[in-house]
């Protein structure tokens, strides 16, 4: 413009250099901020959800925290039947290897259905759906995870047999309801977990799988939230 209309030559080198420096600065700060946000989310939830879920949480743009809140979630408890008898037949090293393999496969299944691992209680697994990443169909995902866990056991049997390990039989209890979720514990140790009556009921339901000789039992609230499955009424139980 200056060259055409004013026959003037403007010094552009400094301006272009400044623009290049500003572009590089913004690129670098954006990268550092994104990496920092990812580290924060990973530090908060990396122990409970897989890396791809942490990435989804970051991309969603929502704010996440470990503070307690009340949400409708679905919780699952699974347990290995007659585990004490199984453990007594194996050496400590073999028992550790067997449980690591079993828990890895079950955890992979839970993660694939957007579940959050709450904790391992010996041979038992506690997991829930709907937090920290919101899962609208949390009941459906939990039931799908339970079915996948059940179906994964026959596939593990040949691997266990090849190593001289006994075949494992599991029981799974699921319940849906409004519960408290957040970072709970003491100043020495905390965990992102769920508390409430629906959680206690899910544990009780898992224990009843032994009585009715079934692999999976769910509460009525889970059935109501996931009617697309084929259900069988087993019993009415007073807690």
């Amino acid at each position: 413009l200056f060259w055409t209309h004013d026959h003037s030559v403007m010094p552009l080198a400094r301006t272009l250099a400044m623009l290049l420096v500003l572009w590089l600065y913004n690129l670098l700060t954006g990268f550092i901020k994104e990496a920092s946000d990812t580290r924060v989310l990973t530090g908060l939830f990396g122990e409970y959800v897989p890396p791809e879920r942490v990435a989804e949480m970051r991309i969603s743009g929502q704010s996440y925290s470990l503070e307690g809140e009340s949400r409708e979630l679905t919780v699952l408890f699974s347990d290995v039947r007659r585990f004490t008898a199984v453990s007594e037949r194996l050496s400590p090293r073999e028992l550790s290897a067997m449980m690591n393999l079993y828990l890895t496969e079950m955890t992979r299944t839970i993660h694939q259905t957007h579940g959050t691992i709450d904790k391992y209680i010996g041979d038992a697994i506690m997991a829930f759906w709907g937090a920290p990443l919101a899962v609208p169909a949390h009941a459906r995902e939990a039931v799908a995870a339970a079915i996948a866990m059940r179906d994964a056991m026959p596939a593990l049997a040949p691997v266990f047999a090849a190593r001289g390990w006994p075949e494992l039989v599991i029981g799974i209890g699921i319940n849906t309801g409004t519960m408290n979720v957040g970072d709970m514990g003491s100043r020495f140790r905390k965990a992102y977990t769920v508390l409430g009556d629906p959680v206690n009921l899910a544990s009780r339901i898992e224990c009843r799988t032994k009585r009715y000789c079934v692999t999976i039992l769910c509460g009525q609230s889970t059935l109501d939230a996931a009617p697309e499955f084929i259900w069988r009424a087993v019993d009415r139980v007073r807690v």
Side-chain angles (χ1 to χ4, degrees):
L1 181 67
F2 280 101
W3 175 264
T4 302
H5 296 283
D6 198 36
H7 304 288
S8 301
V9 178
M10 300 298 294
L12 299 178
R14 292 181 180 179
T15 304
L16 293 176
M18 180 189 68
L19 291 174
L20 178 62
V21 169
L22 288 174
W23 177 75
L24 291 174
Y25 171 77
N26 279 279
L27 187 68
L28 182 62
T29 53
F31 174 79
I32 292 174
K33 184 179 184 303
E34 183 174 348
S36 175
D37 292 344
T38 301
R39 282 197 303 271
V40 169
L41 275 177
T42 302
L44 290 175
F45 300 105
E47 184 179 345
Y48 310 105
V49 296
E52 55 268 24
R53 295 289 90 78
V54 175
E56 288 182 21
M57 293 165 64
R58 180 180 55 79
I59 294 172
S60 69
Q62 300 179 24
S63 59
Y64 297 92
S65 74
L66 294 173
E67 293 183 3
E69 58 178 316
S70 181
R71 281 200 207 181
E72 183 183 273
L73 308 173
T74 299
V75 62
L76 174 151
F77 285 87
S78 74
D79 190 40
V80 176
R81 297 285 169 259
R82 301 180 299 276
F83 180 72
T84 302
V86 170
S87 63
E88 290 174 348
R89 296 168 52 186
L90 300 174
S91 68
R93 181 173 295 180
E94 287 180 317
L95 180 62
S96 176
M98 183 183 72
M99 291 310 301
N100 287 341
L101 179 57
Y102 162 73
L103 292 174
T104 296
E105 292 302 317
M106 297 299 103
T107 300
R108 181 180 292 111
T109 300
I110 292 170
H111 282 170
Q112 287 173 348
T113 54
H114 307 93
T116 299
I117 295 293
D118 187 311
K119 60 178 69 72
Y120 303 124
I121 314 167
D123 59 292
I125 302 172
M126 178 180 174
F128 54 88
W129 282 255
L133 187 66
V135 181
H138 49 81
R140 183 184 65 197
E141 295 285 7
V143 175
I147 294 172
M149 292 167 68
R150 179 200 64 190
D151 295 344
M153 297 309 294
L156 283 176
V159 179
F160 282 21
R163 302 188 183 186
W165 300 340
E167 183 177 356
L168 299 182
V169 179
I170 63 173
I172 300 172
I174 303 174
N175 193 42
T176 301
T178 301
M179 55 194 76
N180 297 314
V181 59
D183 197 30
M184 305 179 194
S186 68
R187 66 187 182 90
F188 300 102
R189 184 176 181 180
K190 293 184 178 181
Y192 188 69
T193 187
V194 289
L195 295 174
D197 188 62
V199 181
N200 300 335
L201 184 56
S203 178
R204 305 286 182 88
I205 290 172
E206 183 276 317
C207 292
R208 305 304 285 186
T209 59
K210 304 174 186 176
R211 179 180 181 87
Y212 299 111
C213 299
V214 296
T215 304
I216 304 170
L217 273 180
C218 300
Q220 180 68 36
S221 56
T222 301
L223 183 154
D224 295 338
E228 59 269 36
F229 293 95
I230 299 174
W231 296 90
R232 180 178 64 177
V234 176
D235 201 354
R236 295 175 63 87
V237 180
R238 184 187 302 275
V239 179

